[in-house]
Amino acid sequence: MSYIHETISDLKNTSPAQCEFYQAVEEVLESLAPILESNKLYQQQAIIQRLVEPERQIMFRVPWVDDQGQIQVNKGYRIEFNSALGPYKGGLRFHPSVNASIIKFLGFEQIFKNALTGLPIGGGKGGSNFNPKGKSDDEIMRFCQSFMTELYRHIGPTTDVPAGDIGVGAREIGYMFGQYKRLTGRYEGVLTGKSLLWGGSLVRKEATGYGVVYFAENMLSIKDESLKSKKCLVSGSGNVAIYAMEKLYQLGATPITCTDSTGTIFHESGIDLTLVKQLKEKSRKSLEAYLTEHNDAKFIPTSEYPSDGHAVWRIKADAAFPCATQNELTLADAKALIANGCQLVSEGANMPSTQDAINTLIDAKISYGPGKAANAGGVSTSQLEMAQNASMQTWSFEEVDQKLQIIMKNIFETAHQTAIEFGQPGNLVLGANIAGFKRVADAMLEQGVV
Ligand code: NDP
Ligand code: 2IT
């Protein structure tokens, strides 16, 4: 058995029943064979075995009282995965599907994503199996306060800096920041994605979605192409999807779909973004309500999705932007995209494509931007928020957006050049994994066995 397969097999024995985590580890480790061959120190110093084991895993009870006076109990997590490059950095996800496997896969991805940005941030992730859907504002506040009542003792502006992810936006960050301040008495940049009124950074809200589109532009530019006039499939209708669609429109492309957990909207003439913002950012409704304003659009409920995938990827278009959740683009979906002439996939979500879908997209020579490279604009702008907080400065929208564009270009160039260097031009999965690994692994070598 090879060294890599042995490591994965050990992991399955010592961390049972964590399939999303194994999937993320396998994807990274499979790409690392050439660099592990070229520098034996990584094996001698057990870098891989150290990387797959989080530095610390915190799991806690989150009790809270609902509007009916009933006591509810959720699970809370913060996985502090790797601090070789800086304080643990990564979002919090509130979704009923959250478990240790999901948080570990997200934390593991975050190590390499953050390394790839070139910024001084380590990798971490957290969250809860709390379901924000249908909860009142008061319930959300009480939950967030209870969550922070345990989390506050583990985080800090130079140790661990959480942010948002699925189910955690400005409202939740606000309630958590308030409770942190109350418990510690400190007003400091312990969370990112804060409101602009009290320490947030311009562009952070838009950053992940804008970044995914900037990354796509970089992928196309080396083929002398651009997004202008392209028809685009977008999945999701949350923070990442909304600002990916906004940037697509700004660059002359047309998003024709978006999705949520209830189904898919297909609007051939272009998604009405003002309406999606209204439905999702304000009234928090199902996308089906889109039809009340646009009877020329189509809503495909999840019950009508193909059994081997998702309706959104079966629609003919030039480019695809998965921006909802993990494993939302299957092998059959990838084949349908290719058959329909799709030229590009840029991932806003974390691990949205299954491994066989990724292999198929790469074999078809489609421009494929893996999430840990393409969606790194969010965490990068979080680091810009930390920098502003630490220096007590606020930068203009243009200044932050300019920095974001440069960071996305650098990430693309790094992954692209690394893929060439290791003999697989165009394979940005290999390029991103090796480049991210090299930075964090070399830091670990220099810091000794810790
Ligand atoms: P939001 O909560 O704002 O939006 C999530 C969207 O995805 C919603 O439309 C939601 O539908 C849909 N969705 C979530 N889970 C499922 C599911 N299991 N099946 C179908 N649809 C689902 O989250 P974000 O936009 O912030 O995050 C989206 C993705 O981007 C995630 O993978 C996240 O990890 C990743 N990401 C986020 C970053 C950020 O800065 N926020 C940074 C980098 C990556 P509904 O409205 O019905 O709930
Ligand atoms: O997956 C991600 O990169 C995020 N959810 C954002 C993390 C952050 O710290 O801004």
Side-chain angles (χ1 to χ4, degrees):
M1 210 186 337
S2 79
Y3 172 70
I4 287 169
H5 292 125
E6 227 171 88
T7 307
I8 292 168
S9 166
D10 280 355
L11 201 62
K12 289 182 178 173
N13 287 329
T14 55
S15 303
Q18 299 193 338
C19 53
E20 292 85 359
F21 177 48
Y22 311 146
Q23 184 184 339
V25 171
E26 278 174 15
E27 190 234 85
V28 171
L29 296 197
E30 298 288 348
S31 318
L32 298 182
I35 190 165
L36 296 177
E37 272 308 305
S38 69
N39 185 349
K40 293 287 179 206
L41 260 187
Y42 296 134
Q43 282 189 50
Q44 283 160 17
Q45 294 290 319
I47 291 293
I48 296 291
Q49 287 91 332
R50 286 197 266 156
L51 264 173
V52 298
E53 197 57 41
E55 287 176 18
R56 195 172 298 104
Q57 307 188 51
I58 301 143
M59 298 190 195
F60 51 98
R61 178 172 69 203
V62 191
W64 56 283
V65 180
D66 68 19
D67 286 347
Q68 284 69 47
Q70 299 291 314
I71 296 168
Q72 304 287 340
V73 181
N74 285 102
K75 291 178 187 291
Y77 302 86
R78 185 71 184 166
I79 311 269
E80 298 181 334
F81 227 118
N82 193 297
S83 62
L85 294 174
Y88 310 104
K89 184 81 197 85
L92 297 170
R93 176 177 290 191
F94 292 170
H95 192 272
S97 64
V98 162
N99 56 36
S101 170
I102 302 240
I103 300 299
K104 276 178 82 176
F105 114 65
L106 290 163
F108 187 73
E109 287 281 293
Q110 201 83 44
I111 302 171
F112 302 93
K113 181 195 306 191
N114 294 2
L116 202 52
T117 66
L119 301 167
I121 38 180
K125 201 85 188 188
S128 172
N129 63 346
F130 174 71
N131 185 0
K133 285 236 174 69
K135 303 290 190 298
S136 68
D137 263 10
D138 283 350
E139 288 177 321
I140 299 282
M141 182 180 74
R142 287 196 293 273
F143 175 80
C144 288
Q145 289 177 340
S146 180
F147 186 83
M148 186 51 85
T149 299
E150 176 55 35
L151 188 67
Y152 88 96
R153 69 187 85 243
H154 307 289
I155 62 177
T158 58
T159 53
D160 184 355
V161 186
D165 193 82
I166 291 178
V168 177
R171 174 180 61 167
E172 292 73 21
I173 293 289
Y175 293 144
M176 286 191 275
F177 184 81
Q179 185 72 352
Y180 177 87
K181 186 163 58 66
R182 183 187 195 190
L183 289 165
T184 62
R186 288 197 295 270
Y187 203 112
E188 55 194 8
V190 70
L191 294 166
T192 59
K194 299 184 292 296
S195 158
L196 297 175
L197 290 176
W198 42 269
S201 172
L202 285 158
V203 195
R204 176 60 190 91
K205 181 176 67 171
E206 295 84 357
T208 312
Y210 280 17
V212 173
V213 176
Y214 292 147
F215 194 87
E217 275 289 60
N218 278 291
M219 287 197 287
L220 288 176
S221 73
I222 57 159
K223 298 181 172 172
D224 285 328
E225 284 258 10
S226 80
L227 282 163
K228 196 167 174 34
S229 308
K230 298 254 187 310
K231 286 198 172 188
C232 301
L233 305 176
V234 176
S235 68
S237 50
N239 173 263
V240 180
I242 285 175
Y243 293 96
M245 290 194 274
E246 184 166 287
K247 186 51 73 180
L248 285 172
Y249 274 126
Q250 287 174 10
L251 296 181
T254 308
I256 58 172
T257 64
C258 59
T259 74
D260 68 7
S261 54
T262 67
T264 296
I265 288 288
F266 173 34
H267 198 175
E268 180 95 72
S269 58
I271 292 291
D272 176 347
L273 192 51
T274 309
L275 178 58
V276 174
K277 283 185 181 176
Q278 170 63 41
L279 291 174
K280 290 295 177 183
E281 292 184 334
K282 301 215 166 61
S283 43
R284 299 176 193 268
K285 281 195 178 145
S286 154
L287 274 180
E288 195 169 5
Y290 188 95
L291 295 183
T292 55
E293 304 248 344
H294 294 285
N295 56 19
D296 58 329
K298 197 173 162 208
F299 178 74
I300 310 159
T302 50
S303 58
E304 288 174 22
Y305 283 9
S307 59
D308 55 359
H310 306 81
V312 62
W313 313 124
R314 310 301 167 98
I315 295 165
K316 189 171 168 52
D318 305 305
F321 296 84
C323 297
T325 193
Q326 65 273 2
N327 294 328
E328 57 163 326
L329 198 162
T330 63
L331 174 62
D333 294 331
K335 287 181 176 165
L337 287 172
I338 294 163
N340 279 326
C342 177
Q343 300 162 26
L344 171 143
V345 176
S346 187
E347 295 183 340
N350 285 306
M351 205 168 75
S353 306
T354 59
Q355 190 60 52
D356 46 9
I358 297 173
N359 296 341
T360 302
L361 294 169
I362 290 176
D363 288 348
K365 305 250 180 279
I366 281 184
S367 298
Y368 170 69
K372 67 169 74 65
N375 75 33
V379 75
S380 300
T381 309
S382 277
Q383 199 278 339
L384 301 179
E385 182 172 329
M386 289 164 69
Q388 290 169 82
N389 291 162
S391 62
M392 298 188 178
Q393 290 180 345
T394 36
W395 303 335
S396 69
F397 192 96
E398 290 67 31
E399 195 174 350
V400 183
D401 188 40
Q402 194 57 38
K403 289 185 199 294
L404 171 62
Q405 290 188 46
I406 293 168
I407 291 168
M408 296 315 295
K409 190 172 172 52
N410 287 342
I411 293 172
F412 170 73
E413 287 294 335
T414 304
H416 178 63
Q417 291 304 333
T418 307
I420 294 171
E421 189 188 326
F422 283 84
Q424 294 203 32
N427 185 343
L428 298 181
V429 173
L430 182 112
N433 285 339
I434 290 186
F437 169 80
K438 192 166 168 4
R439 187 160 176 250
V440 69
D442 289 348
M444 287 171 75
L445 288 179
E446 289 179 6
Q447 290 173 17
V449 182
V450 291

